[in-house]
Amino acid sequence: MKYSHEVERMCKVAKGVSNHGPAPIPQEGKWVQAKEIKDISGLTHGVGWCAPQQGTCKLTLNVKNGIIEEALIETCGCSGMTHSAAMAAELITGKTILEALNTDLVCDAINTAMRELFLQIVYGRTQTAFSEDGLPIGAGLEDLGKGLRSQVGTVYSTSAKGPRYLELAEGYITQLALDEEDRIIGYKFVHLGKMMEMIRKGMDANEAVKKATGQYGRFDEAGKYIDPREE
């Protein structure tokens, strides 16, 4: 290491009370003085966006001893981003959080999500900061629910024709129920995750659709029903 002439001439002054290391951060039910990457653990979520803000990524990481052991990558709004997520899934697990931060995760939204999660994790702001031993590997799947499908909300609206519910947490909307003043009072839906699970297990597709169909709100009291994609 090279020093300037001015620094070389200086005498050494010892550190006093400030020489106590980094402030401890909460991690999986413990207070940790994180000095190295291997000192970092926790599960957390974060979102990222690309430069044109055409799409977004929700990233869930489960980090143990500095290594990303589990990753859930969910994307929305961009077709290319879905393929980027497939590649990122292979790239990100097994790396340290520092390596992942400096890995090209193909899509800017996923890169940005990784940056945001890195900040949460290294500052002790994880979801499991006060949970003893954190969460086991596999906890990320619990966010997906029945059928392992992301929670999706898609609603379209115009000032001329009003709103159209297309997909909500319950599932794919097949009918909207309107009252006498054409206000939405309920809807019928198909839970695609449950439907596909039944089909995978051998049930006839038409039967699976019926079993995965439900309704919400005052659906039976409607004065009119419409297909939100056609009418």
Side-chain angles (χ1 to χ4, degrees):
M1 189 178 300
K2 294 182 178 179
Y3 296 94
S4 69
H5 176 66
E6 289 77 11
V7 173
E8 285 280 8
R9 294 178 55 195
M10 291 178 181
C11 63
K12 186 172 182 179
V13 176
K15 292 183 179 180
V17 292
S18 61
N19 191 24
H20 51 59
I25 60 174
Q27 288 192 150
E28 299 191 339
K30 301 175 183 176
W31 289 94
V32 179
Q33 279 190 306
K35 298 179 180 180
E36 301 178 42
I37 291 295
K38 65 181 179 63
D39 297 330
I40 300 293
S41 293
L43 179 142
T44 199
H45 318 273
V47 295
W49 52 94
C50 57
Q53 300 190 28
Q54 181 180 352
T56 187
C57 167
K58 178 195 172 190
L59 181 60
T60 303
L61 298 181
N62 200 348
V63 179
K64 301 292 185 184
N65 301 316
I67 306 292
I68 297 172
E69 298 289 356
E70 177 186 17
L72 172 62
I73 305 166
E74 302 172 88
T75 63
C76 175
C78 172
S79 57
M81 194 181 289
T82 62
H83 294 84
S84 298
M87 289 182 272
E90 296 186 24
L91 291 167
I92 200 170
T93 50
K95 283 184 165 62
T96 69
I97 56 171
L98 183 60
E99 288 176 308
L101 187 67
N102 289 288
T103 297
D104 182 6
L105 299 176
V106 187
C107 164
D108 267 355
I110 304 174
N111 284 319
T112 303
M114 182 62 227
R115 181 194 72 196
E116 296 301 306
L117 261 72
F118 182 87
L119 293 174
Q120 287 185 42
I121 293 167
V122 298
Y123 282 112
R125 303 297 193 271
T126 62
Q127 302 292 311
T128 55
F130 299 102
S131 302
E132 188 173 358
D133 296 326
L135 290 172
I137 309 307
L141 285 180
E142 295 179 6
D143 281 355
L144 298 178
K146 193 74 172 176
L148 299 184
R149 195 167 186 273
S150 295
Q151 297 293 314
V152 177
T154 307
V155 179
Y156 178 74
S157 181
T158 61
S159 59
K161 301 295 182 178
R164 299 292 189 279
Y165 299 174
L166 303 177
E167 189 160 354
L168 298 176
E170 294 86 356
Y172 179 97
I173 309 300
T174 57
Q175 281 186 305
L176 291 181
L178 308 182
D179 66 10
E180 289 75 12
E181 298 180 28
D182 291 334
R183 295 174 299 192
I184 297 172
I185 58 171
Y187 48 83
K188 183 177 284 188
F189 61 85
V190 178
H191 193 298
L192 297 181
K194 292 180 181 178
M195 182 190 78
M196 292 306 300
E197 195 171 79
M198 288 185 278
I199 291 173
R200 287 201 325 272
K201 292 179 178 178
M203 185 180 289
D204 174 75
N206 290 321
E207 181 66 18
V209 169
K210 289 179 183 178
K211 285 187 172 295
T213 295
Q215 61 189 53
Y216 181 83
R218 296 184 288 121
F219 188 83
D220 293 332
E221 301 175 22
K224 179 166 63 174
Y225 300 96
I226 65 168
D227 180 337
R229 292 169 175 80
E230 297 291 338
E231 299 175 74

